[in-house]
Amino acid sequence: MQTFAEIAPIREQIRVWRREGRRIAFVPTMGNLHDGHLTLVRKAREVADVVVVSIFVNPMQFDKADDLNNYPRTMDDDLAKLNSEGVDLVFTPTPDIMYPQGLDRHTLVDVPGLSTMLEGALRPSHFRGVSTVVTKLFNIVQPDVACFGEKDYQQLALIRQMVADMAMDIEIIGVPTVREMDGLAMSSRNGYLTVDERQRAPVLARTMRWISSQMRGGRNDYAELVMDANDQLRAAGLQPDEIYIRDAASLLPVSDESQQAVILMSAFLGKARLIDNQIVDLNPPTAATEE
């Protein structure tokens, strides 16, 4: 496994692989890797000849300096895990390499609408930081395919829209959320949980499944459904943040034309902000039959 912090040697290696006709898959990460990340790597291995992974804690997507400073950095352990998965190349740049003129003077990439709705409304500039860094990483790695987790549903939608809008010749593959045995979505944030909080954390997924079952049963009073779900979270000691029920394709409010809805959930538990999502098929209205 090759590991580079500079851009030039990566581009040189990419040119070699291109001449050899290799298909290149890319998995961008911020490190602190868990089995959810490694599932992305395994999917990348299935669909390509070589796998490139980046580890970069992107300062542009953090709204609070404390969150950036406290983000866990486990480089040695991450590299060992990636090596065991047979990754071909790891890119480990510093902020100075990615933003040599500083954040304030760097060109920005923004995706209108998707970057400012829902999660983007709560975290101004977060998704702009995501789209900017992913665009730069795509330009450096030049992959044929890139793998992203479906757990970060809005982020995946944003990346897909950006790739389409900018005519990037990159296939974006969404990989299903990897869960612990008790249903909790795997996340780097889970490391912030105390033992007691970890026991309560699966309530988020259970509440999400309850919303889904209510919707499949025909319930469409979404505002009341969200309030009931918030009550369930509070009763378990979680602090609800946001629960959205939106059209799965557009992330706009569910309409009569919506074929699928997505439940987007977030809640605070101690120091951790947990997120999750689930897609629900919406039953089309049954046409009346004539005798």
Side-chain angles (χ1 to χ4, degrees), residues 3-291:
T3 303
F4 298 121
E6 301 287 340
I7 295 173
I10 288 185
R11 286 185 162 152
E12 182 178 348
Q13 180 60 69
I14 294 294
R15 283 193 291 268
V16 171
W17 285 330
R18 288 279 174 227
R19 287 195 296 269
E20 295 172 349
R22 304 285 192 94
R23 180 171 166 85
I24 300 169
F26 179 45
V27 181
T29 82
M30 293 207 301
N32 193 28
L33 303 182
H34 50 68
D35 202 50
H37 296 106
L38 301 183
T39 299
L40 301 181
V41 171
R42 293 163 194 152
K43 182 62 177 181
R45 174 62 66 196
E46 290 177 12
V47 299
D49 303 307
V50 296
V51 177
V52 178
V53 175
S54 64
I55 298 176
F56 177 58
V57 181
N58 177 31
M60 190 179 284
Q61 68 190 69
F62 285 83
D63 299 310
K64 299 176 182 177
D66 285 349
D67 290 344
L68 173 61
N69 294 333
N70 293 331
Y71 193 87
R73 291 159 171 85
T74 55
M75 183 65 74
D76 290 344
D77 186 52
D78 293 344
L79 292 176
K81 289 177 179 178
L82 295 176
N83 190 47
S84 69
E85 292 292 334
V87 168
D88 298 278
L89 189 153
V90 184
F91 182 38
T92 61
T94 63
D96 287 342
I97 290 172
M98 293 297 286
Y99 306 116
Q101 303 299 320
L103 297 182
D104 294 338
R105 298 182 61 189
H106 197 279
T107 297
L108 301 174
V109 178
D110 199 11
V111 181
L114 280 170
S115 66
T116 54
M117 66 167 58
L118 306 179
E119 180 89 355
L122 299 174
R123 303 174 66 190
S125 78
H126 167 72
F127 283 119
R128 186 176 63 193
V130 171
S131 54
T132 298
V133 76
V134 171
T135 296
K136 185 156 191 175
L137 289 168
F138 281 174
N139 283 333
I140 293 168
V141 177
Q142 296 288 305
D144 298 288
V145 58
C147 298
F148 291 83
E150 292 180 353
K151 182 177 71 68
D152 294 298
Y153 191 91
Q154 187 173 353
Q155 173 179 280
L156 176 58
L158 178 109
I159 297 301
R160 282 178 165 152
Q161 188 65 54
M162 180 188 75
V163 166
D165 289 348
M166 303 302 288
M168 296 180 182
D169 189 18
I170 303 172
E171 178 186 358
I172 303 299
I173 295 180
V175 179
T177 301
V178 180
R179 299 183 179 278
E180 305 284 0
M181 292 294 291
D182 55 12
L184 177 65
M186 288 189 179
S187 171
S188 298
R189 299 177 180 94
N190 297 348
Y192 295 129
L193 299 171
T194 66
V195 173
D196 175 65
E197 290 164 353
R198 177 61 186 82
Q199 304 251 330
R200 286 181 280 149
V203 170
L204 186 70
R206 288 201 294 271
T207 303
M208 183 176 66
R209 291 196 298 271
W210 176 80
I211 296 174
S212 174
S213 68
Q214 294 289 302
M215 292 173 64
R216 287 196 302 271
R219 188 171 174 183
N220 59 7
D221 54 333
Y222 296 146
E224 293 290 332
L225 194 53
V226 167
M227 286 194 290
D228 291 346
N230 281 333
D231 289 341
Q232 293 183 30
L233 294 176
R234 291 190 187 97
L238 283 73
Q239 178 58 47
D241 183 27
E242 293 290 342
I243 301 177
Y244 300 107
I245 301 173
R246 292 296 181 103
D247 182 282
S250 67
L251 294 185
L252 295 173
V254 174
S255 69
D256 292 340
E257 287 74 38
S258 298
Q259 299 298 308
Q260 291 182 313
V262 61
I263 305 164
L264 302 164
M265 299 188 66
S266 61
F268 290 99
L269 185 54
K271 296 180 180 179
R273 180 175 181 269
L274 307 177
I275 66 171
D276 210 338
N277 67 77
Q278 183 174 343
I279 291 177
V280 182
D281 290 324
L282 299 175
N283 295 321
T286 303
T289 56
E290 296 181 1
E291 294 293 338

